[in-house]
Amino acid sequence: MASAKRPTPVPPYVGPKPQVKWVQDLTQTLKEASNAPPADFAKYLPFSVASRLLDDANKLLKWGPTGYTTVADVAKQTGTSGKQLPPCMRNRAQAGSPNVIVVGDIHGHFHDFLHLLKLAGNPSMQCHYIFNGDFVDRGAWGAEVLFTMLAWKLALPNCVNMIRGNHESEYCTSAYGFKNELLTKYGQFQGSRLFSRCLTVFAALPLAAVVDNSVLVLHGGLFRRPTKRKSRRPATASAASTKRPTSLYNPPSTLTPTDSESPTRPRLRASSARGERSGSTLEDMNHPSLKFMEGFQTGLEVGTLDDLRECTSGGLDPDGQGSSLVPSDVMWSDPMHTNGFRENTERGIGLVFGPNVTQQFLEQNNLQLVVRSHEGPDARSKRPDMKDITGGYTEDHVVPAGKLVTLFSAPDYPMFAAGEDRTCNQAAFLRLKPPAYAKDPEVVRFEAVTRPKASAFYHEDSEEEVEEV
């Protein structure tokens, strides 16, 4: 039912960043405007305001979230000059440290997203957020989700972390609705300009967040160690002195990448293993020794946090080639039930990895928990060897060193599926609590809320182009 109250257009925010009250007013306006036809959206969030949110977010992400006053102040604090936000951010527990809320895929479920914020609490100094990618596509309100997140990020930059998912790319947003959503809501000319700005913001998003040196949050999964390109000139003292800093602020501190690229490697093909439908434990696998990694594809070696720090964020459209190799792994990879480490032939990009790889990765990087997202109930329904995720959360690998879990935060997904394809799933978020963030994270599940009637911004035929992205 349409709202009887006509929404008030969002005014420009005053000053270098939006205030919390402005973000709350924005959220309320977008909620009320979601009842209106999509073509009326620009009446309530004008192009000029949306453009500024994107431009200011891009500036913040490029300089690193060390505080948002002016660019000059940030440069003075970090000792950098125009460096991109690195792909890995770190958050350390201290006295009075905040809870950390980890959110999985949202996929344009704006009303469910607002319900999640109500359950968990708005971002604040006591409640930090990690949004783990796939904010847009396949839902009707991707623009509302994205602009709300960016507004919170700008208002409280140290309390909100946005991680890049595979849908934060040109290909996915063109195929799965977000581009068409912007063109519908803002018209061809302004919508195209906003889409270009969105791609720039997506390319500046980090790939992961590390909480308290014990929890790694990333969208897809584990990644390979890239082959290092040999330098043609010897290192010099001056070169060493200009190396990017490894810690820019604390908490959370920012780790800055180098400009090194991994060489292009051919796409390899291998069949995936299937096993029984359960979570995987290293003990159940009868694994004799981590020194002999069973099922590893020739030439593949699991990467480290150092590799993650040194890579780029992948560019506008990571394709698994050159410098986008590791970013593509991070955004597209999936766990599997059996031991092994090989190319992800189902998706055509990224990797699949078993519990032995998770054990090695946790052990080598002194981590206890990996939180990933990426797979919804529709994708898991096609993988009978893995637990389903109709409850929003699964523990996929339980090994001596810790766990790897999957988190999905879009309930009743896919939004426009019909019949048997509609899973009516629950969603979930995680609440990590200090001082031991990795120990027994609280899983909070929730159902879908009532939302207005809407139409899809993509054709259902797109579902067949990539295996359940």
Side-chain angles (χ1 to χ4, degrees):
M1 181 179 295
S3 173
K5 180 180 178 182
R6 182 180 176 86
T8 302
V10 177
Y13 51 90
V14 178
K17 67 172 186 176
Q19 300 301 309
V20 168
K21 179 61 167 60
W22 187 91
V23 179
Q24 293 171 336
D25 291 343
L26 165 73
T27 303
Q28 183 60 33
T29 294
L30 295 182
K31 181 180 178 181
E32 294 171 357
S34 66
N35 292 283
D40 290 345
F41 183 79
K43 296 178 182 178
Y44 307 114
L45 183 63
F47 172 79
S48 59
V49 179
S51 295
R52 186 182 175 191
L53 279 170
L54 291 166
D55 291 343
D56 286 353
N58 186 49
K59 292 174 185 176
L60 173 64
L61 292 168
K62 286 176 64 176
W63 288 92
T66 58
Y68 196 89
T69 50
T70 65
V71 171
D73 286 347
V74 174
K76 183 177 181 180
Q77 293 172 29
T78 62
T80 63
S81 178
K83 307 299 184 185
Q84 286 188 342
L85 182 70
C88 186
M89 295 189 298
R90 191 168 293 270
N91 205 345
R92 299 173 185 268
Q94 296 179 343
S97 292
N99 289 336
V100 176
I101 306 299
V102 185
V103 179
D105 298 30
I106 295 294
H107 279 303
H109 285 228
F110 180 60
H111 305 84
D112 301 314
F113 172 59
L114 297 184
H115 182 55
L116 184 156
L117 292 177
K118 183 177 180 180
L119 292 174
N122 283 336
S124 68
M125 296 302 292
Q126 292 76 40
C127 182
H128 289 199
Y129 272 82
I130 299 174
F131 296 114
N132 197 24
D134 283 12
F135 321 127
V136 301
D137 281 343
R138 303 183 77 180
W141 298 282
E144 286 86 339
V145 170
L146 179 63
F147 288 126
T148 299
M149 282 188 186
L150 291 177
W152 278 116
K153 175 65 180 174
L154 290 168
L156 299 170
N158 290 343
C159 302
V160 176
N161 296 315
M162 297 172 64
I163 304 302
R164 189 176 193 180
N166 61 299
H167 278 264
E168 280 69 60
S169 64
E170 183 174 13
Y171 168 72
C172 284
T173 48
S174 297
Y176 291 95
F178 182 61
K179 179 179 182 179
N180 193 41
E181 178 184 348
L182 290 177
L183 298 181
T184 302
K185 292 180 175 179
Y186 282 96
Q188 185 71 31
F189 178 68
Q190 292 185 340
S192 296
R193 293 175 66 186
L194 288 179
F195 181 63
S196 178
R197 285 177 164 92
C198 286
L199 294 181
T200 302
V201 169
F202 293 160
L205 291 172
L207 296 176
V210 178
V211 182
D212 191 35
N213 293 328
S214 61
V215 182
L216 174 66
V217 182
L218 75 180
H219 181 73
L222 302 186
F223 48 93
R224 75 194 78 196
R225 171 168 287 180
T227 301
K228 302 294 183 182
R229 178 176 293 175
K230 293 183 179 180
S231 175
R232 296 184 179 180
R233 57 186 180 185
T236 63
S238 60
S241 65
T242 58
K243 184 179 179 181
R244 299 187 186 187
T246 58
S247 181
L248 301 183
Y249 74 104
N250 183 35
S253 66
T254 300
L255 306 172
T256 307
T258 66
D259 293 321
S260 63
E261 293 186 355
S262 51
T264 301
R265 34 171 105 216
R267 303 299 299 167
L268 303 175
R269 300 297 178 199
S271 61
S272 64
R274 296 293 188 214
E276 65 186 72
R277 184 183 178 87
S278 68
S280 305
T281 67
L282 196 64
E283 292 87 348
D284 292 341
M285 295 301 153
N286 236 353
H287 193 269
S289 171
L290 287 174
K291 295 180 180 179
F292 177 72
M293 299 304 288
E294 177 185 342
F296 268 54
Q297 183 173 299
T298 302
L300 285 182
E301 181 181 358
V302 66
T304 66
L305 289 182
D306 286 338
D307 298 321
L308 191 58
R309 291 188 195 102
E310 293 173 2
C311 75
T312 70
S313 290
L316 295 179
D317 206 22
D319 60 0
Q321 303 295 318
S323 61
S324 75
L325 183 66
V326 171
S328 297
D329 287 349
V330 171
M331 289 186 277
W332 286 93
S333 293
D334 296 303
M336 61 181 177
H337 174 65
T338 56
N339 285 339
F341 197 39
R342 53 183 171 269
E343 300 286 334
N344 194 336
T345 55
E346 288 86 351
R347 295 188 185 273
I349 189 171
L351 304 166
V352 288
F353 57 95
N356 57 339
V357 181
T358 296
Q359 169 68 15
Q360 184 188 28
F361 181 81
L362 292 172
E363 201 168 47
Q364 288 182 345
N365 294 282
N366 297 312
L367 296 169
Q368 300 171 40
L369 177 64
V370 175
V371 181
R372 45 96 58 179
S373 300
H374 191 39
E375 290 183 284
D378 53 341
R380 278 292 171 95
S381 70
K382 299 181 179 181
R383 303 183 67 200
D385 56 315
M386 302 294 291
K387 288 182 178 180
D388 69 48
I389 196 165
T390 53
Y393 172 85
T394 64
E395 295 182 352
D396 295 318
H397 293 164
V398 181
V399 295
K403 298 178 181 180
L404 179 137
V405 304
T406 297
L407 178 69
F408 195 75
S409 301
D412 190 22
Y413 175 89
M415 182 180 293
F416 297 107
E420 294 181 355
D421 293 331
R422 198 177 193 95
T423 61
C424 301
N425 61 293
Q426 287 183 310
F429 62 86
L430 293 184
R431 182 179 283 113
L432 310 181
K433 300 178 181 180
Y437 283 103
K439 184 178 180 181
D440 299 326
E442 180 184 358
V443 182
V444 182
R445 291 181 168 89
F446 60 98
E447 304 281 352
V449 298
T450 302
R451 53 193 177 226
K453 291 183 179 181
S455 299
F457 291 106
Y458 68 102
H459 297 293
E460 292 188 6
D461 291 344
S462 299
E463 299 288 353
E464 304 300 327
E465 297 177 10
V466 175
E467 186 77 16
E468 295 302 349
V469 300

